[in-house]
Amino acid sequence: YDDLAVVCYINSTAELKKYSDVCVTSSNAVKIVKNLPNKNIFFIPDRNLGHFVAKQCPDKNFIFNNGCCPRHVVITKEMVEKAKAEHPLAKFAAHPECTEDVLELADYVGSTSGIIDYVVDTEADEFIIGTVDGVFNEIRKKAPDKKLYTVKPDQVCVNMKKVTLEKVLDVLENDTNEVFVDKELADHAMKPLNKMLELAAK
């Protein structure tokens, strides 16, 4: 592929970014890919987010990596159908890292911030949330009267939960757990991040 662009999800390692042309978030991935001049897109590492973007960029040729988000891929079509049967008035909002058959059942598909805005701004009173439970607190701050339901009881990202306010404060006050990245690697990893900011501004 002479014009191949490697498009990398932002929550990937610096090593992976080193070999990427541009980074994306779940909220800007479609815009970034559409703004790329390249026809051929190697989307890494999440195949589900890649398929979601590909459907909205039909003029591009996509190559997918066989990776996925371990929190979203375990949400199944059957779980969603069960939740819908239990809460027939509820709208279903899903993250694009869910599988395609789950997204087909959704009333809204979007990033974490997109899901929050959708629930807050939509007139419906009940919502089934197809992403990690961290969004629930933010929604309840903005729309405390909305009724929220999970698809499964443990929609928790254990990796995100490792970062706490106490740990962040400890790092800032005591310089503990400082992470050092090789300068050459950091310089390479910054290039796709800067490219994302450039394309997002268009």
Side-chain angles (χ1 to χ4, degrees), residues 106-148:
D107 298 288
Y108 173 82
V109 178
S111 65
T112 301
S113 60
I115 289 174
I116 293 169
D117 290 342
Y118 169 74
V119 173
V120 171
D121 297 337
T122 302
E123 290 186 2
D125 296 320
E126 300 179 45
F127 297 86
I128 300 163
I129 306 298
T131 190
V132 292
D133 67 352
V135 304
F136 282 58
N137 289 335
E138 195 63 30
I139 292 171
R140 286 176 178 138
K141 287 179 193 173
K142 298 180 177 182
D145 295 330
K146 303 274 185 172
K147 294 180 181 178
L148 308 177

mmCIF file of all heavy atoms in Angstrom, residues 106-148:
data_model
loop_
_atom_site.group_PDB
_atom_site.id
_atom_site.type_symbol
_atom_site.label_atom_id
_atom_site.label_comp_id
_atom_site.label_asym_id
_atom_site.label_seq_id
_atom_site.Cartn_x
_atom_site.Cartn_y
_atom_site.Cartn_z
ATOM 1 N N ALA A 106 -28.365 -0.044 19.018
ATOM 2 C CA ALA A 106 -28.256 1.219 19.749
ATOM 3 C C ALA A 106 -29.117 2.328 19.155
ATOM 4 O O ALA A 106 -29.270 2.435 17.937
ATOM 5 C CB ALA A 106 -26.797 1.664 19.791
ATOM 6 N N ASP A 107 -29.650 3.160 20.042
ATOM 7 C CA ASP A 107 -30.330 4.385 19.626
ATOM 8 C C ASP A 107 -29.309 5.492 19.383
ATOM 9 O O ASP A 107 -29.569 6.440 18.650
ATOM 10 C CB ASP A 107 -31.312 4.834 20.713
ATOM 11 C CG ASP A 107 -32.406 3.803 20.949
ATOM 12 O OD1 ASP A 107 -33.276 3.679 20.072
ATOM 13 O OD2 ASP A 107 -32.365 3.117 21.992
ATOM 14 N N TYR A 108 -28.155 5.343 20.023
ATOM 15 C CA TYR A 108 -27.069 6.315 19.841
ATOM 16 C C TYR A 108 -25.740 5.588 19.999
ATOM 17 O O TYR A 108 -25.578 4.754 20.895
ATOM 18 C CB TYR A 108 -27.164 7.440 20.881
ATOM 19 C CG TYR A 108 -25.982 8.378 20.838
ATOM 20 C CD1 TYR A 108 -25.917 9.412 19.910
ATOM 21 C CD2 TYR A 108 -24.902 8.209 21.711
ATOM 22 C CE1 TYR A 108 -24.817 10.255 19.850
ATOM 23 C CE2 TYR A 108 -23.803 9.048 21.660
ATOM 24 C CZ TYR A 108 -23.769 10.065 20.724
ATOM 25 O OH TYR A 108 -22.680 10.896 20.658
ATOM 26 N N VAL A 109 -24.787 5.907 19.125
ATOM 27 C CA VAL A 109 -23.422 5.375 19.227
ATOM 28 C C VAL A 109 -22.470 6.557 19.294
ATOM 29 O O VAL A 109 -22.505 7.443 18.430
ATOM 30 C CB VAL A 109 -23.059 4.486 18.019
ATOM 31 C CG1 VAL A 109 -21.618 3.989 18.145
ATOM 32 C CG2 VAL A 109 -24.022 3.315 17.894
ATOM 33 N N GLY A 110 -21.621 6.577 20.323
ATOM 34 C CA GLY A 110 -20.686 7.689 20.432
ATOM 35 C C GLY A 110 -19.672 7.483 21.534
ATOM 36 O O GLY A 110 -19.726 6.507 22.292
ATOM 37 N N SER A 111 -18.751 8.416 21.615
ATOM 38 C CA SER A 111 -17.694 8.387 22.620
ATOM 39 C C SER A 111 -18.284 8.578 24.014
ATOM 40 O O SER A 111 -19.482 8.848 24.171
ATOM 41 C CB SER A 111 -16.688 9.503 22.338
ATOM 42 O OG SER A 111 -17.324 10.768 22.490
ATOM 43 N N THR A 112 -17.436 8.482 25.008
ATOM 44 C CA THR A 112 -17.884 8.687 26.389
ATOM 45 C C THR A 112 -18.550 10.048 26.550
ATOM 46 O O THR A 112 -19.657 10.154 27.093
ATOM 47 C CB THR A 112 -16.683 8.572 27.354
ATOM 48 O OG1 THR A 112 -16.106 7.271 27.212
ATOM 49 C CG2 THR A 112 -17.118 8.770 28.791
ATOM 50 N N SER A 113 -17.891 11.094 26.068
ATOM 51 C CA SER A 113 -18.471 12.440 26.180
ATOM 52 C C SER A 113 -19.741 12.556 25.347
ATOM 53 O O SER A 113 -20.698 13.231 25.739
ATOM 54 C CB SER A 113 -17.453 13.501 25.756
ATOM 55 O OG SER A 113 -17.049 13.309 24.411
ATOM 56 N N GLY A 114 -19.755 11.877 24.198
ATOM 57 C CA GLY A 114 -20.949 11.890 23.357
ATOM 58 C C GLY A 114 -22.129 11.226 24.035
ATOM 59 O O GLY A 114 -23.268 11.712 23.955
ATOM 60 N N ILE A 115 -21.880 10.112 24.709
ATOM 61 C CA ILE A 115 -22.944 9.408 25.437
ATOM 62 C C ILE A 115 -23.491 10.287 26.558
ATOM 63 O O ILE A 115 -24.707 10.388 26.760
ATOM 64 C CB ILE A 115 -22.428 8.063 25.988
ATOM 65 C CG1 ILE A 115 -22.221 7.074 24.832
ATOM 66 C CG2 ILE A 115 -23.394 7.486 27.024
ATOM 67 C CD1 ILE A 115 -21.574 5.765 25.237
ATOM 68 N N ILE A 116 -22.592 10.941 27.276
ATOM 69 C CA ILE A 116 -23.028 11.831 28.363
ATOM 70 C C ILE A 116 -23.936 12.931 27.812
ATOM 71 O O ILE A 116 -25.025 13.184 28.340
ATOM 72 C CB ILE A 116 -21.810 12.437 29.087
ATOM 73 C CG1 ILE A 116 -21.045 11.342 29.838
ATOM 74 C CG2 ILE A 116 -22.249 13.548 30.053
ATOM 75 C CD1 ILE A 116 -19.690 11.771 30.360
ATOM 76 N N ASP A 117 -23.509 13.576 26.732
ATOM 77 C CA ASP A 117 -24.309 14.656 26.134
ATOM 78 C C ASP A 117 -25.645 14.139 25.618
ATOM 79 O O ASP A 117 -26.679 14.802 25.767
ATOM 80 C CB ASP A 117 -23.533 15.319 24.993
ATOM 81 C CG ASP A 117 -22.340 16.123 25.485
ATOM 82 O OD1 ASP A 117 -22.300 16.457 26.684
ATOM 83 O OD2 ASP A 117 -21.440 16.402 24.666
ATOM 84 N N TYR A 118 -25.626 12.953 25.009
ATOM 85 C CA TYR A 118 -26.859 12.368 24.468
ATOM 86 C C TYR A 118 -27.883 12.139 25.578
ATOM 87 O O TYR A 118 -29.055 12.511 25.452
ATOM 88 C CB TYR A 118 -26.541 11.053 23.763
ATOM 89 C CG TYR A 118 -27.758 10.237 23.391
ATOM 90 C CD1 TYR A 118 -28.577 10.613 22.330
ATOM 91 C CD2 TYR A 118 -28.096 9.087 24.109
ATOM 92 C CE1 TYR A 118 -29.707 9.867 21.991
ATOM 93 C CE2 TYR A 118 -29.214 8.336 23.780
ATOM 94 C CZ TYR A 118 -30.017 8.735 22.724
ATOM 95 O OH TYR A 118 -31.131 8.000 22.399
ATOM 96 N N VAL A 119 -27.442 11.540 26.672
ATOM 97 C CA VAL A 119 -28.362 11.248 27.778
ATOM 98 C C VAL A 119 -28.891 12.541 28.396
ATOM 99 O O VAL A 119 -30.087 12.672 28.668
ATOM 100 C CB VAL A 119 -27.665 10.380 28.849
ATOM 101 C CG1 VAL A 119 -28.562 10.214 30.072
ATOM 102 C CG2 VAL A 119 -27.300 9.016 28.269
ATOM 103 N N VAL A 120 -28.009 13.501 28.599
ATOM 104 C CA VAL A 120 -28.405 14.766 29.226
ATOM 105 C C VAL A 120 -29.371 15.545 28.335
ATOM 106 O O VAL A 120 -30.360 16.118 28.817
ATOM 107 C CB VAL A 120 -27.155 15.617 29.546
ATOM 108 C CG1 VAL A 120 -27.553 17.024 29.993
ATOM 109 C CG2 VAL A 120 -26.312 14.940 30.621
ATOM 110 N N ASP A 121 -29.119 15.555 27.028
ATOM 111 C CA ASP A 121 -29.886 16.404 26.108
ATOM 112 C C ASP A 121 -31.139 15.749 25.536
ATOM 113 O O ASP A 121 -31.996 16.439 24.981
ATOM 114 C CB ASP A 121 -28.990 16.859 24.951
ATOM 115 C CG ASP A 121 -27.832 17.731 25.424
ATOM 116 O OD1 ASP A 121 -27.956 18.335 26.507
ATOM 117 O OD2 ASP A 121 -26.804 17.789 24.718
ATOM 118 N N THR A 122 -31.245 14.420 25.637
ATOM 119 C CA THR A 122 -32.399 13.716 25.071
ATOM 120 C C THR A 122 -33.567 13.748 26.054
ATOM 121 O O THR A 122 -33.378 13.635 27.269
ATOM 122 C CB THR A 122 -32.022 12.257 24.747
ATOM 123 O OG1 THR A 122 -30.919 12.262 23.833
ATOM 124 C CG2 THR A 122 -33.181 11.512 24.110
ATOM 125 N N GLU A 123 -34.771 13.895 25.524
ATOM 126 C CA GLU A 123 -35.948 14.038 26.383
ATOM 127 C C GLU A 123 -36.318 12.759 27.126
ATOM 128 O O GLU A 123 -37.026 12.809 28.128
ATOM 129 C CB GLU A 123 -37.143 14.515 25.549
ATOM 130 C CG GLU A 123 -37.015 15.957 25.077
ATOM 131 C CD GLU A 123 -38.272 16.443 24.382
ATOM 132 O OE1 GLU A 123 -39.247 15.667 24.308
ATOM 133 O OE2 GLU A 123 -38.278 17.593 23.916
ATOM 134 N N ALA A 124 -35.868 11.618 26.642
ATOM 135 C CA ALA A 124 -36.199 10.348 27.306
ATOM 136 C C ALA A 124 -35.727 10.360 28.756
ATOM 137 O O ALA A 124 -34.774 11.051 29.113
ATOM 138 C CB ALA A 124 -35.561 9.189 26.551
ATOM 139 N N ASP A 125 -36.407 9.576 29.589
ATOM 140 C CA ASP A 125 -36.094 9.538 31.021
ATOM 141 C C ASP A 125 -35.225 8.350 31.418
ATOM 142 O O ASP A 125 -34.607 8.363 32.479
ATOM 143 C CB ASP A 125 -37.392 9.481 31.838
ATOM 144 C CG ASP A 125 -38.237 10.735 31.664
ATOM 145 O OD1 ASP A 125 -37.652 11.833 31.625
ATOM 146 O OD2 ASP A 125 -39.464 10.603 31.554
ATOM 147 N N GLU A 126 -35.193 7.301 30.565
ATOM 148 C CA GLU A 126 -34.484 6.075 30.932
ATOM 149 C C GLU A 126 -33.469 5.703 29.848
ATOM 150 O O GLU A 126 -33.760 5.819 28.656
ATOM 151 C CB GLU A 126 -35.473 4.920 31.121
ATOM 152 C CG GLU A 126 -36.510 5.169 32.199
ATOM 153 C CD GLU A 126 -37.473 3.998 32.336
ATOM 154 O OE1 GLU A 126 -37.004 2.841 32.353
ATOM 155 O OE2 GLU A 126 -38.690 4.242 32.406
ATOM 156 N N PHE A 127 -32.305 5.220 30.299
ATOM 157 C CA PHE A 127 -31.236 4.889 29.364
ATOM 158 C C PHE A 127 -30.480 3.642 29.810
ATOM 159 O O PHE A 127 -30.176 3.480 30.993
ATOM 160 C CB PHE A 127 -30.235 6.046 29.250
ATOM 161 C CG PHE A 127 -30.833 7.302 28.695
ATOM 162 C CD1 PHE A 127 -31.470 8.205 29.536
ATOM 163 C CD2 PHE A 127 -30.782 7.573 27.337
ATOM 164 C CE1 PHE A 127 -32.039 9.360 29.031
ATOM 165 C CE2 PHE A 127 -31.349 8.729 26.826
ATOM 166 C CZ PHE A 127 -31.980 9.624 27.669
ATOM 167 N N ILE A 128 -30.190 2.790 28.850
ATOM 168 C CA ILE A 128 -29.286 1.656 29.058
ATOM 169 C C ILE A 128 -27.929 2.105 28.523
ATOM 170 O O ILE A 128 -27.827 2.563 27.378
ATOM 171 C CB ILE A 128 -29.777 0.407 28.303
ATOM 172 C CG1 ILE A 128 -31.172 0.002 28.796
ATOM 173 C CG2 ILE A 128 -28.790 -0.746 28.470
ATOM 174 C CD1 ILE A 128 -31.892 -0.953 27.855
ATOM 175 N N ILE A 129 -26.899 1.987 29.342
ATOM 176 C CA ILE A 129 -25.587 2.524 28.990
ATOM 177 C C ILE A 129 -24.629 1.399 28.608
ATOM 178 O O ILE A 129 -24.321 0.527 29.421
ATOM 179 C CB ILE A 129 -24.991 3.341 30.155
ATOM 180 C CG1 ILE A 129 -25.978 4.427 30.608
ATOM 181 C CG2 ILE A 129 -23.651 3.939 29.748
ATOM 182 C CD1 ILE A 129 -26.318 5.459 29.563
ATOM 183 N N GLY A 130 -24.146 1.445 27.372
ATOM 184 C CA GLY A 130 -23.239 0.418 26.867
ATOM 185 C C GLY A 130 -21.796 0.873 26.859
ATOM 186 O O GLY A 130 -21.141 0.886 25.811
ATOM 187 N N THR A 131 -21.303 1.248 28.031
ATOM 188 C CA THR A 131 -19.884 1.562 28.196
ATOM 189 C C THR A 131 -19.545 1.435 29.677
ATOM 190 O O THR A 131 -20.398 1.025 30.479
ATOM 191 C CB THR A 131 -19.535 2.963 27.651
ATOM 192 O OG1 THR A 131 -18.106 3.112 27.624
ATOM 193 C CG2 THR A 131 -20.147 4.072 28.480
ATOM 194 N N VAL A 132 -18.326 1.784 30.057
ATOM 195 C CA VAL A 132 -17.898 1.604 31.447
ATOM 196 C C VAL A 132 -18.687 2.514 32.386
ATOM 197 O O VAL A 132 -19.178 3.572 31.988
ATOM 198 C CB VAL A 132 -16.386 1.856 31.596
ATOM 199 C CG1 VAL A 132 -15.596 0.773 30.877
ATOM 200 C CG2 VAL A 132 -15.997 3.226 31.064
ATOM 201 N N ASP A 133 -18.775 2.093 33.639
ATOM 202 C CA ASP A 133 -19.665 2.765 34.586
ATOM 203 C C ASP A 133 -19.183 4.146 35.022
ATOM 204 O O ASP A 133 -19.900 4.861 35.721
ATOM 205 C CB ASP A 133 -19.901 1.884 35.811
ATOM 206 C CG ASP A 133 -18.638 1.684 36.652
ATOM 207 O OD1 ASP A 133 -17.551 2.107 36.210
ATOM 208 O OD2 ASP A 133 -18.738 1.090 37.744
ATOM 209 N N GLY A 134 -17.985 4.538 34.605
ATOM 210 C CA GLY A 134 -17.476 5.851 34.976
ATOM 211 C C GLY A 134 -18.334 7.005 34.483
ATOM 212 O O GLY A 134 -18.323 8.094 35.067
ATOM 213 N N VAL A 135 -19.103 6.779 33.414
ATOM 214 C CA VAL A 135 -19.940 7.858 32.872
ATOM 215 C C VAL A 135 -21.161 8.133 33.752
ATOM 216 O O VAL A 135 -21.751 9.210 33.673
ATOM 217 C CB VAL A 135 -20.416 7.552 31.432
ATOM 218 C CG1 VAL A 135 -19.249 7.293 30.513
ATOM 219 C CG2 VAL A 135 -21.388 6.389 31.401
ATOM 220 N N PHE A 136 -21.523 7.174 34.589
ATOM 221 C CA PHE A 136 -22.743 7.323 35.381
ATOM 222 C C PHE A 136 -22.673 8.529 36.316
ATOM 223 O O PHE A 136 -23.636 9.288 36.437
ATOM 224 C CB PHE A 136 -23.012 6.046 36.181
ATOM 225 C CG PHE A 136 -23.616 4.936 35.375
ATOM 226 C CD1 PHE A 136 -22.973 4.432 34.255
ATOM 227 C CD2 PHE A 136 -24.835 4.391 35.725
ATOM 228 C CE1 PHE A 136 -23.521 3.407 33.507
ATOM 229 C CE2 PHE A 136 -25.403 3.356 34.983
ATOM 230 C CZ PHE A 136 -24.742 2.871 33.866
ATOM 231 N N ASN A 137 -21.537 8.701 36.984
ATOM 232 C CA ASN A 137 -21.406 9.825 37.917
ATOM 233 C C ASN A 137 -21.538 11.158 37.206
ATOM 234 O O ASN A 137 -22.193 12.083 37.702
ATOM 235 C CB ASN A 137 -20.056 9.754 38.646
ATOM 236 C CG ASN A 137 -20.009 8.625 39.655
ATOM 237 O OD1 ASN A 137 -21.047 8.187 40.148
ATOM 238 N ND2 ASN A 137 -18.818 8.149 39.958
ATOM 239 N N GLU A 138 -20.913 11.263 36.033
ATOM 240 C CA GLU A 138 -20.963 12.520 35.281
ATOM 241 C C GLU A 138 -22.383 12.817 34.808
ATOM 242 O O GLU A 138 -22.842 13.957 34.863
ATOM 243 C CB GLU A 138 -20.010 12.444 34.089
ATOM 244 C CG GLU A 138 -19.703 13.777 33.440
ATOM 245 C CD GLU A 138 -18.997 14.753 34.365
ATOM 246 O OE1 GLU A 138 -18.254 14.313 35.264
ATOM 247 O OE2 GLU A 138 -19.215 15.968 34.194
ATOM 248 N N ILE A 139 -23.088 11.785 34.354
ATOM 249 C CA ILE A 139 -24.476 11.974 33.912
ATOM 250 C C ILE A 139 -25.352 12.402 35.089
ATOM 251 O O ILE A 139 -26.177 13.314 34.970
ATOM 252 C CB ILE A 139 -25.030 10.682 33.276
ATOM 253 C CG1 ILE A 139 -24.307 10.385 31.953
ATOM 254 C CG2 ILE A 139 -26.536 10.808 33.040
ATOM 255 C CD1 ILE A 139 -24.635 9.025 31.362
ATOM 256 N N ARG A 140 -25.147 11.763 36.231
ATOM 257 C CA ARG A 140 -25.986 12.070 37.403
ATOM 258 C C ARG A 140 -25.755 13.484 37.920
ATOM 259 O O ARG A 140 -26.653 14.094 38.493
ATOM 260 C CB ARG A 140 -25.735 11.035 38.496
ATOM 261 C CG ARG A 140 -26.390 9.693 38.163
ATOM 262 C CD ARG A 140 -26.080 8.616 39.170
ATOM 263 N NE ARG A 140 -26.773 7.374 38.814
ATOM 264 C CZ ARG A 140 -26.226 6.172 38.877
ATOM 265 N NH1 ARG A 140 -24.969 6.038 39.283
ATOM 266 N NH2 ARG A 140 -26.920 5.100 38.541
ATOM 267 N N LYS A 141 -24.550 14.010 37.721
ATOM 268 C CA LYS A 141 -24.288 15.403 38.100
ATOM 269 C C LYS A 141 -25.103 16.356 37.236
ATOM 270 O O LYS A 141 -25.625 17.359 37.707
ATOM 271 C CB LYS A 141 -22.801 15.733 37.916
ATOM 272 C CG LYS A 141 -21.866 15.123 38.932
ATOM 273 C CD LYS A 141 -20.436 15.533 38.592
ATOM 274 C CE LYS A 141 -19.419 14.719 39.363
ATOM 275 N NZ LYS A 141 -18.038 15.026 38.896
ATOM 276 N N LYS A 142 -25.194 16.038 35.941
ATOM 277 C CA LYS A 142 -25.843 16.934 34.988
ATOM 278 C C LYS A 142 -27.339 16.668 34.834
ATOM 279 O O LYS A 142 -28.096 17.574 34.470
ATOM 280 C CB LYS A 142 -25.163 16.809 33.617
ATOM 281 C CG LYS A 142 -23.698 17.218 33.625
ATOM 282 C CD LYS A 142 -23.086 17.077 32.241
ATOM 283 C CE LYS A 142 -21.637 17.552 32.232
ATOM 284 N NZ LYS A 142 -21.038 17.464 30.878
ATOM 285 N N ALA A 143 -27.745 15.427 35.068
ATOM 286 C CA ALA A 143 -29.157 15.059 34.887
ATOM 287 C C ALA A 143 -29.559 14.065 35.974
ATOM 288 O O ALA A 143 -29.744 12.874 35.710
ATOM 289 C CB ALA A 143 -29.375 14.468 33.498
ATOM 290 N N PRO A 144 -29.701 14.537 37.208
ATOM 291 C CA PRO A 144 -29.942 13.630 38.340
ATOM 292 C C PRO A 144 -31.255 12.861 38.278
ATOM 293 O O PRO A 144 -31.400 11.836 38.957
ATOM 294 C CB PRO A 144 -29.914 14.571 39.554
ATOM 295 C CG PRO A 144 -30.184 15.934 39.001
ATOM 296 C CD PRO A 144 -29.594 15.939 37.630
ATOM 297 N N ASP A 145 -32.203 13.313 37.475
ATOM 298 C CA ASP A 145 -33.504 12.642 37.414
ATOM 299 C C ASP A 145 -33.555 11.507 36.388
ATOM 300 O O ASP A 145 -34.540 10.764 36.329
ATOM 301 C CB ASP A 145 -34.607 13.657 37.102
ATOM 302 C CG ASP A 145 -34.776 14.675 38.226
ATOM 303 O OD1 ASP A 145 -34.506 14.312 39.391
ATOM 304 O OD2 ASP A 145 -35.159 15.824 37.936
ATOM 305 N N LYS A 146 -32.523 11.381 35.570
ATOM 306 C CA LYS A 146 -32.509 10.321 34.561
ATOM 307 C C LYS A 146 -32.279 8.967 35.225
ATOM 308 O O LYS A 146 -31.478 8.840 36.152
ATOM 309 C CB LYS A 146 -31.406 10.576 33.532
ATOM 310 C CG LYS A 146 -31.504 11.927 32.823
ATOM 311 C CD LYS A 146 -32.408 11.881 31.616
ATOM 312 C CE LYS A 146 -32.371 13.215 30.868
ATOM 313 N NZ LYS A 146 -33.071 13.185 29.595
ATOM 314 N N LYS A 147 -32.970 7.948 34.729
ATOM 315 C CA LYS A 147 -32.779 6.587 35.225
ATOM 316 C C LYS A 147 -31.781 5.870 34.319
ATOM 317 O O LYS A 147 -31.977 5.817 33.100
ATOM 318 C CB LYS A 147 -34.111 5.836 35.245
ATOM 319 C CG LYS A 147 -35.109 6.395 36.248
ATOM 320 C CD LYS A 147 -36.410 5.610 36.216
ATOM 321 C CE LYS A 147 -37.419 6.185 37.206
ATOM 322 N NZ LYS A 147 -38.717 5.461 37.142
ATOM 323 N N LEU A 148 -30.725 5.337 34.921
ATOM 324 C CA LEU A 148 -29.648 4.715 34.161
ATOM 325 C C LEU A 148 -29.534 3.235 34.504
ATOM 326 O O LEU A 148 -29.592 2.855 35.674
ATOM 327 C CB LEU A 148 -28.319 5.413 34.461
ATOM 328 C CG LEU A 148 -28.301 6.939 34.305
ATOM 329 C CD1 LEU A 148 -26.946 7.487 34.717
ATOM 330 C CD2 LEU A 148 -28.641 7.345 32.875
#
